[in-house]
Amino acid sequence: MLTIWLNYMVKKRKDDTTEGKILAAARKVFTTKGMAGARMQDIADEAGINKAMLHYYFKDKEKLFEVVFMEGAGEFFPRINKLFESDASLEEMITRFVEEYLDAMQRSPYLPWFIMNELNRDADTFLEKIWAAPNRPNPAKFLALIEKEIKKGNIKRISPLHLLLNLLSMTIFPFIAKPMITRNLHLDEMQFRYVIEQRKTEIPKFIMDSIRK
Amino acid sequence: MLTIWLNYMVKKRKDDTTEGKILAAARKVFTTKGMAGARMQDIADEAGINKAMLHYYFKDKEKLFEVVFMEGAGEFFPRINKLFESDASLEEMITRFVEEYLDAMQRSPYLPWFIMNELNRDADTFLEKIWAAPNRPNPAKFLALIEKEIKKGNIKRISPLHLLLNLLSMTIFPFIAKPMITRNLHLDEMQFRYVIEQRKTEIPKFIMDSIRK
DNA sequence: ACTTTTGTTAACCATTTGGTTAAACTATAT
DNA sequence: ATATAGTTTAACCAAATGGTTAACAAAAGT
């Protein structure tokens, strides 16, 4: 009993346990090489442990991938959804959406890429597993809010669908195209982070300037 | 001699030759499964030919991939570059950029995804091969034009970099996120095409509304 | 103390996969 | 007709890869 308590208090940091090391390694390898390109041996090497441990802690490749994937998606979707469900003003909602999204992606820059990738590879399997979850972002309320604002005459007449697409595009795309952007515009890691930081204000300003009457 | 001429006149359509069938199949398999996920047998099956033919016409997997890839990139980059190099007005350049890009992508919807994917997977190998080509889009002139318009007082003071990012994002992203968009907004193939068609006018309008003084 | 459970390793296995080969078949040229 | 070059096939091969096993070590429970 005492040992349990002690163990609890002195709990190894997540990344120091074998399981943690595997997850960190898997995250890295899966997200750079994709599900198909990732090698179990690569993950084991990256984690500095024996390949058999991967199967000890996570049944097989499929399961390990799923855990890594869900871990990411589970952090992503809920906060977005919560925002869509809130009753903030349009401008506030856009501003906070961009901020939250960009922050989440700064923390896990691999995620949007990862999700798009698997979605593209095997949409059905993925969607049945993840998309059905109760935390799936539902843009309906956001679209409705735009229509309301148009009717009230607060903003220009614009297609809510295209406004939503524009918002998502400008927020997410830079992370997906990061290798292209950094290379072609000669940005290093720091500069890229800085550009993203700027976008937290640039995107909302850009949008509001466009739709404001 | 006669037979040669006849053969020329009655030339099989590209897609009926073995080589053509392989390329079409490879395009399909590579772009849905990625380089790592694609199986040579899958490509052979898709083409309805023997696996050995793949190696007969295209040395190995790497080479076949490269041909498919270059074929796509070669259609993509030059037209963009040509536009950036032209001396159209800013609004015209933006409008034509969106049109050309969206048209190219309607024709090869897999391409942007494909390029991003491989760029993400193995940026260095890819960039050394393709990026160094003389047709690489060079945004410098576009950025310079924006600055000039700002100085002339024709448009608002806006970061040229962010304007470029916004333009690229809004144009390309919907194709990368297509599976997510169609699913989450309940759009079928036709409706998606229609939305894209709308964006040819929506995006330029959205941008100009935002930057016009 | 010793038994049980949990964690770890190296060697091994079965299957998949990219790639080869040699033989057969086809069209063309001489 | 026969040789020649180009095309296609089935069978085969070596390497890579996901996964298993049996032995062993450490920790925890009694």
Side-chain angles (χ1 to χ4, degrees):
Chain A
M1 286 93 199
L2 180 62
T3 51
I4 293 176
W5 179 78
L6 275 173
N7 192 22
Y8 175 76
M9 293 310 289
V10 196
K11 194 92 181 196
K12 282 177 166 52
R13 305 192 48 168
K14 232 185 180 180
D15 297 8
D16 285 342
T17 72
T18 302
E19 195 177 339
K21 280 190 283 187
I22 291 174
L23 277 176
R27 219 172 298 150
K28 185 169 174 183
V29 176
F30 273 135
T31 50
T32 53
K33 310 240 181 174
M35 163 68 169
R39 297 293 102 117
M40 294 299 267
Q41 189 61 59
D42 291 348
I43 298 175
D45 290 349
E46 177 74 34
I49 49 101
N50 189 290
K51 184 165 69 84
M53 298 313 292
L54 304 182
H55 297 95
Y56 180 74
Y57 283 99
F58 308 88
K59 192 185 200 81
D60 55 19
K61 194 184 181 185
E62 184 81 25
K63 182 67 187 167
L64 178 55
F65 178 81
E66 197 187 310
V67 170
V68 170
F69 195 102
M70 295 290 265
E71 203 189 46
E75 189 205 355
F76 223 53
F77 293 150
R79 45 192 341 135
I80 301 303
N81 206 26
K82 209 175 113 201
L83 183 55
F84 276 159
E85 294 292 330
S86 82
D87 55 357
S89 74
L90 182 59
E91 178 161 10
E92 196 185 347
M93 203 177 272
I94 290 173
T95 306
R96 282 185 48 207
F97 175 91
V98 172
E99 253 173 43
E100 292 243 12
Y101 230 110
L102 290 182
D103 267 340
M105 292 196 286
Q106 290 273 34
R107 260 178 286 117
S108 322
Y110 60 87
L111 248 189
W113 167 257
F114 197 29
I115 293 176
M116 296 292 147
N117 203 342
E118 294 311 312
L119 206 51
N120 212 59
R121 197 178 57 96
D122 187 1
D124 290 330
T125 304
F126 168 69
L127 288 164
E128 253 140 63
K129 264 188 199 158
I130 286 89
W131 218 242
N135 52 8
R136 168 186 51 157
N138 177 5
K141 214 172 169 189
F142 181 73
L143 295 171
L145 177 59
I146 297 169
E147 289 205 52
K148 209 176 74 183
E149 292 295 302
I150 291 174
K151 275 202 183 111
K152 284 204 286 182
N154 291 343
I155 61 172
K156 283 185 191 145
R157 297 196 81 267
I158 185 181
S159 155
L161 172 60
H162 285 283
L163 180 51
L164 175 61
L165 286 180
N166 292 347
L167 173 62
L168 288 172
S169 298
M170 289 189 285
T171 309
I172 303 174
F173 180 77
F175 282 91
I176 293 173
K178 182 178 170 184
M180 191 175 74
I181 292 170
T182 51
R183 187 80 166 217
N184 219 23
L185 297 175
H186 312 290
L187 304 177
D188 61 29
E189 196 63 29
M190 279 289 288
Q191 290 171 317
F192 182 78
R193 286 188 81 88
Y194 183 62
V195 169
I196 295 299
E197 207 57 36
Q198 289 180 316
R199 287 184 80 70
K200 285 186 189 169
T201 56
E202 288 288 337
I203 294 173
K205 188 156 69 89
F206 189 80
I207 294 178
M208 294 312 294
D209 276 358
S210 181
I211 66 178
R212 208 183 344 250
K213 264 186 167 164
Chain B
M1 286 91 202
L2 181 61
T3 51
I4 291 177
W5 180 80
L6 274 172
N7 191 22
Y8 175 77
M9 294 310 291
V10 198
K11 194 92 180 194
K12 282 176 165 55
R13 307 192 45 172
K14 231 185 182 181
D15 298 9
D16 285 344
T17 71
T18 302
E19 196 175 338
K21 280 191 283 187
I22 291 174
L23 276 176
R27 219 171 298 151
K28 186 169 173 184
V29 176
F30 273 135
T31 51
T32 53
K33 310 237 180 177
M35 163 68 168
R39 297 292 100 115
M40 294 299 267
Q41 189 59 59
D42 291 348
I43 298 175
D45 291 348
E46 178 74 34
I49 49 101
N50 188 292
K51 183 165 69 83
M53 299 311 291
L54 303 182
H55 297 96
Y56 180 74
Y57 284 98
F58 308 87
K59 192 182 201 81
D60 57 18
K61 193 185 182 183
E62 185 79 25
K63 181 69 187 165
L64 178 55
F65 179 81
E66 195 186 310
V67 170
V68 169
F69 196 103
M70 295 290 266
E71 204 187 48
E75 189 204 356
F76 223 54
F77 293 149
R79 46 192 341 137
I80 301 302
N81 207 25
K82 210 175 112 201
L83 183 55
F84 276 159
E85 295 292 330
S86 84
D87 54 358
S89 73
L90 182 60
E91 177 160 12
E92 196 184 346
M93 202 178 272
I94 289 172
T95 306
R96 284 183 48 207
F97 175 91
V98 172
E99 254 173 43
E100 293 242 12
Y101 230 110
L102 289 182
D103 268 340
M105 291 194 288
Q106 289 275 33
R107 260 178 286 117
S108 321
Y110 60 87
L111 249 189
W113 168 257
F114 195 33
I115 292 175
M116 295 293 147
N117 204 342
E118 294 310 312
L119 206 51
N120 214 57
R121 197 180 55 97
D122 188 359
D124 291 329
T125 304
F126 167 70
L127 288 164
E128 254 140 63
K129 266 188 196 158
I130 285 88
W131 218 242
N135 52 7
R136 168 187 51 155
N138 177 5
K141 212 170 170 190
F142 181 73
L143 295 172
L145 177 58
I146 296 170
E147 290 205 53
K148 207 175 76 183
E149 291 296 302
I150 292 174
K151 275 201 183 113
K152 284 204 286 182
N154 292 341
I155 60 172
K156 282 186 193 144
R157 295 196 84 267
I158 184 183
S159 156
L161 171 61
H162 286 283
L163 180 51
L164 174 62
L165 286 180
N166 292 346
L167 172 63
L168 288 172
S169 299
M170 289 189 285
T171 310
I172 303 174
F173 181 76
F175 282 91
I176 293 173
K178 182 177 171 186
M180 191 176 72
I181 292 169
T182 52
R183 187 80 164 219
N184 218 25
L185 296 175
H186 312 291
L187 303 176
D188 61 29
E189 196 63 29
M190 280 287 289
Q191 291 171 315
F192 182 78
R193 284 189 81 87
Y194 182 62
V195 170
I196 295 299
E197 208 56 37
Q198 289 180 315
R199 287 184 80 70
K200 285 185 191 169
T201 56
E202 287 288 337
I203 294 174
K205 187 156 67 86
F206 190 80
I207 294 177
M208 294 313 294
D209 276 359
S210 181
I211 67 177
R212 206 180 349 247
K213 268 187 167 164

